[in-house]
Amino acid sequence: MEKRLNFVLVATFAIAALLQSSFAQRDYVVGDALGWVVPPTPSTYATWAANNTFGVGDTLVFNFVNGVHDVVKVTKANYDSCNAGNPLLMLSNSPANVTLNETGSHYFICGFTGHCSAGQKLAVNVSAAVLSPAPAPQPSTSAPQPSPRPQPTTPPASSPMPFAPAPTPQGGSPSPSLSPSPSTVSGPTRSPMTYIVGDSSGWTVPSNGASFYQTWANGKIFMVGDILVFNYVTGIHDVLEVSRASYQQCISSNPISNFTTPPTRVTLRTAGEHYYICGVPGHCTAGQQLAINVSSSSTATPPSSTSGPTPPNNPSSPSPAGDNNNGTPPTPGAASLTVAGLSATFVSLIVAVFM
């Protein structure tokens, strides 16, 4: 009888240890692809946090541009008032990893002036470690399911890609021109189009690489009459149209035009090269700059493939930290599947001993 009791105790402790291992710890990249920046809307990070569940042992990964943003952990009072004084924790190098070691509310802001009040702040609520969900049951194969009838697809009514993609300015050579090839070929005209610069990311210091806006412009045909819309936070960013030389050296003095009120709508009225930067110190060199080539409204010929400007001293894109050093969070359900199988084995052994 004593041997049986000892066996039961050993089995119980083993099951408890296996259950403990099923509490999977995860890495969360704050803001996902947007990163840790002045967001396009003040509620961006509140919405992001509401869509995630945080447990003890999880890690927050803040991706940002060094020298442009930082991460400051503060009290609730300082979070509400955007006060970076007397921080609980301050991190200035990206990627900044913060492990959530206790339950309760945790508050983070950017300590740069005006960034927190513009929405660069995050509050998360941490609960006890959450058991990884078991795999979803597989559908029964007793009766084959009818295949859905294919539905006809309708192409978008208006698309910025009716013609060949336009190469984006790249490289570091200042001499080649982005002007269209002299031997242009006439093509169909189209109605003026409106482009949101950076799409959902808006006009901000990119956290996912200094070539973000070059990549965004790649594959788009800009024509006379089209409109660029720059979405940003007043007082945090601006929009300057500058010369090619000023673009290459990130010089904000003597701009061709200067806009400070969002959303800034710029109508492309002339064909040729157009260059835009943010005039706030450090923002252009960190990648907040855009170069495009505008074609005549009577043609649809993309610019010739040439080298273009590259901002100096561009920092490399920070890589989010994660499990196995590759930023990939653990697969939910894998741990709980192992636990379920082993737990069942132990229960079977216990039952066999007492039968």
Side-chain angles (χ1 to χ4, degrees), residues 8 40-41 83 105 133 141 257 320 335:
V8 171
T41 62
N83 182 2
S105 297
T141 58
S257 56

Side-chain angles (χ1 to χ4, degrees), residues 2-25:
E2 183 178 353
K3 290 183 178 180
R4 291 184 178 181
L5 290 177
N6 290 337
F7 180 81
V8 171
L9 290 175
V10 171
T12 301
F13 283 119
I15 293 174
L18 288 171
L19 289 175
Q20 179 66 26
S21 67
S22 68
F23 290 91
Q25 299 173 349

Side-chain angles (χ1 to χ4, degrees), residues 168-174 176 178 214 244 247-248 275 306-310:
T168 302
Q170 299 181 22
S173 174
L178 296 177
Q214 292 181 5
R244 179 187 177 90
Y247 172 88
Q248 291 178 315
Y275 300 96
T306 58
S307 299
T310 297

